Amino acid sequence: MSEHRPVLVVDFGAQYAQLIARRVREAGVYSEIISHHASAAEIDAKNPLAIVLSGGPSSVYDEGSPTLQEGILELGVPVLGICYGFQVMAQALGGDVGKTGLREYGATATRVNPALTPLFAGQPEKQTTWMSHGDQVQSAPPGFQVLASTDATAVAAFGSEDTKMFGVQWHPEVKHSEHGQGVLENFLHKVVGLDRSWTSGNVIAEQVEAVASQVGGDLVICGLSGGVDSAVAAALVHRAVGDQLVCVFVDHGLLRSGEREQVEKDFVAATGVRLVTVDAKEQFLGALAGVSDPETKRKIIGREFIRTFESAAAEIVAKAQGGGAQVKFLVQGTLYPDIVESGGGSGTAVIKSHHNVGGLPDDLEFDLVEPLRTLFKDEVRAIGRELGLPEAIVGRHPFPGPGLGIRIIGEVTKDRLDTLRAADKIVREELTLAGLDAEIWQCPVVLLADVRSVGVQGDGRTYGHPIVVRPVSSEDAMTADWSRLPYDVLGKISNRITNEVPEVNRVVLDITSKPPGTIEWE
């Protein structure tokens, strides 16, 4: 995946394993996630610079609870244990872990001792940390100093300078721990002695070299969606191989206002990439006629996309072969979370199958070029900016592959798409004007096409559709909360939509978290 030696995050089933890996990278150090099933030999083969043991939902005393594989702590590699990983580490090294009946959840006043350890260097002795535990470390392992405590937990952190092994009971990776990132950075930079070598500039240089070596003199195609991942992947590959790359953009008619223009004008102007646009709006609308079931809509959109892309790819291949060239490679904007969640993270559970281009069939017979497969979304955005991509693309909120087709509750028609497009444009404009784009993860706008409500507009009775506005805040979309937008912004959005979109007479705000709700409605 990368030539960098990694800091390995051992995943004990933590909700925040990916977040830990991201925080390590924010400290300028490359990280990878590995399952707790990995043996000492497998970990040693990766030649890690350090190991971080994640939290997890289990108790170290539960039958079948995750354990640290034998020999890992004898590899001579610096280790930081977090929450459950702290307790597993304590138990493995000869400390005592038990149930005292004193549990700590949420913000907790914690006392640390900066004078004893570089782990807390430059930090106040009293700080707020984020706890989530029922078991407690009751005594530190032999040779380890107690470095922190709370009113309920006598051993809230421990460490050994000689072995460079440390542990904390709290979650330094979450922002609720006010000095959490400082703890991680002190471990990486002061304890382990690592420098800040993982930067977007280094990633670009490495990937340009790797892609050029992989592709050689052959042609490459890329399915552009207009989203961040495919756009940055294409820009990186274009930086490496120039006009050997041909991008295909399928306009299925389910795009938001201005998105085709962003790709055809702004993206091409910024990169100089060769672009083929396929107008397939009528094809998709015809296939979706009469269909209301969301899963059926998804399958139809995916099927028609595959057919359209296959046809465009076949034309590109035919033209290339006519000139003697070979099209051997397909670019995908696969990210590191996609690899982890698809079971590619060295034994992690499969959360979802993944294919960025919509599930292209194997008989296309292209080798994959995946220049972003080591990266998280925030890193991809940083690289996109460094490559000179427009902010309208780089800063774009996540948008589902099936597009507006799954933001219309009911049958997808041209008129309904036009209505939703107009409302969505207003929401995006007002969020941008208010400077809120960076504060929310995304803001789906949903048309309840099969619902009508009574309204009064222009001294007359109306019977229009409701629009749902769904602003959410999230770290990684695995969990999310609704964003508390200012009332005046919500008021402007509602007034503009009901004034400017004739088919809509009511705007509602979705204030459901995830769980129990999903971010998208379908």
Side-chain angles (χ1 to χ4, degrees):
M1 293 173 68
S2 169
E3 295 180 2
H4 288 264
R5 289 178 60 194
V7 167
L8 290 180
V9 178
V10 178
D11 184 5
F12 287 103
Q15 179 183 0
Y16 297 123
Q18 288 192 27
L19 184 55
I20 295 170
R22 284 180 52 201
R23 296 290 187 245
V24 171
R25 294 191 187 187
E26 287 173 13
V29 179
Y30 178 63
S31 64
E32 290 181 12
I33 298 169
I34 193 166
S35 168
H36 68 273
H37 294 297
S39 67
E42 289 173 313
I43 287 180
D44 192 38
K46 288 182 171 288
N47 196 20
L49 295 164
I51 296 170
V52 179
L53 309 178
S54 84
S58 303
S59 164
V60 293
Y61 293 108
D62 288 346
E63 186 175 349
S65 61
T67 59
L68 191 64
Q69 300 301 307
E70 188 175 345
I72 291 175
L73 296 180
E74 284 75 55
L75 291 174
V77 177
V79 179
L80 175 67
I82 293 174
C83 193
Y84 182 83
F86 169 62
Q87 295 173 4
V88 166
M89 185 178 174
Q91 191 177 56
L93 292 169
D96 292 318
V97 181
K99 291 184 184 295
T100 64
L102 299 174
R103 301 184 298 171
E104 290 177 313
Y105 294 100
T108 304
T110 304
R111 297 177 296 277
V112 307
N113 195 331
L116 288 179
T117 174
L119 192 68
F120 303 130
Q123 297 187 7
E125 293 183 4
K126 294 181 180 180
Q127 55 184 261
T128 299
T129 65
W130 191 259
M131 296 281 191
S132 181
H133 67 103
D135 295 346
Q136 292 180 329
V137 175
Q138 294 174 290
S139 65
F144 282 69
Q145 281 186 303
V146 175
L147 303 175
S149 63
T150 71
D151 289 343
T153 304
V155 185
F158 59 53
S160 164
E161 293 285 341
D162 293 338
T163 62
K164 295 188 176 180
M165 291 187 183
F166 293 83
V168 296
Q169 181 60 72
W170 61 93
H171 286 274
E173 73 275 17
V174 302
K175 292 183 178 177
H176 303 293
S177 292
E178 58 183 355
H179 296 282
Q181 184 65 13
V183 171
L184 290 172
E185 294 195 5
N186 280 345
F187 172 71
L188 296 168
H189 302 310
K190 296 184 183 298
V191 173
V192 187
L194 304 179
D195 58 15
R196 296 176 178 269
S197 61
W198 178 254
T199 66
S200 56
N202 288 344
V203 172
I204 291 171
E206 289 171 5
Q207 287 304 315
V208 164
E209 183 179 348
V211 170
S213 175
Q214 179 185 7
V215 171
D218 294 310
L219 293 182
V220 192
I221 61 172
C222 175
L224 270 183
S225 68
V228 180
D229 304 341
S230 66
V232 175
L236 248 179
V237 172
H238 185 259
R239 175 75 64 91
V241 300
D243 283 347
Q244 290 170 242
L245 172 68
V246 181
C247 290
V248 177
F249 178 68
V250 176
D251 184 356
H252 47 34
L254 308 174
L255 302 169
R256 296 182 294 186
S257 178
E259 289 185 314
R260 177 168 175 169
E261 291 77 10
Q262 276 182 6
V263 173
E264 289 187 322
K265 296 178 182 177
D266 298 343
F267 181 76
V268 172
T271 61
V273 75
R274 294 166 61 190
L275 178 67
V276 174
T277 300
V278 182
D279 192 327
K281 292 191 286 289
E282 295 302 321
Q283 173 187 334
F284 278 77
L285 275 176
L288 289 167
V291 178
S292 295
D293 177 70
E295 192 57 32
T296 304
K297 285 194 285 188
R298 285 180 180 272
K299 288 179 179 177
I300 289 171
I301 294 166
R303 180 194 72 209
E304 295 302 316
F305 182 90
I306 290 168
R307 288 177 178 172
T308 307
F309 189 89
E310 278 184 306
S311 176
E315 287 187 27
I316 292 169
V317 170
K319 289 179 181 178
Q321 289 175 339
Q326 294 292 316
V327 182
K328 290 187 178 180
F329 297 96
L330 172 68
V331 178
Q332 285 197 275
T334 310
L335 304 191
Y336 189 53
D338 301 326
I339 301 296
V340 173
E341 293 174 1
S342 299
S346 301
T348 52
V350 176
I351 298 173
K352 63 182 179 181
S353 59
H354 177 78
H355 233 306
N356 278 307
V357 189
L360 295 176
D362 294 336
D363 58 10
L364 277 177
E365 296 182 351
F366 295 120
D367 291 333
L368 292 182
V369 177
E370 297 176 304
L372 310 180
R373 63 184 282 115
T374 62
L375 305 177
F376 289 100
K377 178 76 79 173
D378 49 349
E379 294 171 319
V380 171
R381 293 190 199 278
I383 287 170
R385 292 185 178 100
E386 195 151 333
L387 288 169
L389 296 186
E391 188 61 30
I393 291 177
V394 175
R396 186 178 190 250
H397 289 165
F399 188 58
L404 299 180
I406 59 165
R407 290 184 177 175
I408 293 174
I409 309 303
E411 181 186 4
V412 178
T413 67
K414 183 180 183 305
D415 288 345
R416 289 174 171 183
L417 283 166
D418 290 342
T419 297
L420 180 54
R421 241 188 298 271
D424 177 270
K425 182 181 180 183
I426 290 169
V427 172
R428 288 190 290 142
E429 285 176 349
E430 291 301 328
L431 291 177
T432 299
L433 284 171
L436 295 171
D437 288 336
E439 294 185 23
I440 61 176
W441 175 264
Q442 67 188 109
C443 187
V445 179
V446 181
L447 173 64
L448 304 185
D450 289 342
V451 176
R452 288 182 181 272
S453 65
V454 175
V456 179
Q457 291 170 298
D459 296 324
R461 184 177 183 272
T462 62
Y463 199 47
H465 297 291
I467 281 286
V468 179
V469 179
R470 170 80 165 128
V472 296
S473 300
S474 178
E475 286 278 0
D476 53 13
M478 301 299 289
T479 60
D481 195 12
W482 63 282
S483 302
R484 275 63 169 176
L485 300 184
Y487 289 151
D488 61 334
V489 175
L490 292 171
K492 287 179 183 177
I493 287 172
S494 178
N495 287 341
R496 284 196 60 193
I497 290 175
T498 52
N499 285 335
E500 298 174 32
V501 186
E503 299 81 3
V504 177
N505 65 356
R506 193 177 297 270
V507 176
V508 299
L509 176 67
D510 184 346
I511 59 169
T512 314
S513 63
K514 176 189 179 182
T518 54
I519 292 177
E520 298 288 345
W521 273 49
E522 287 199 343

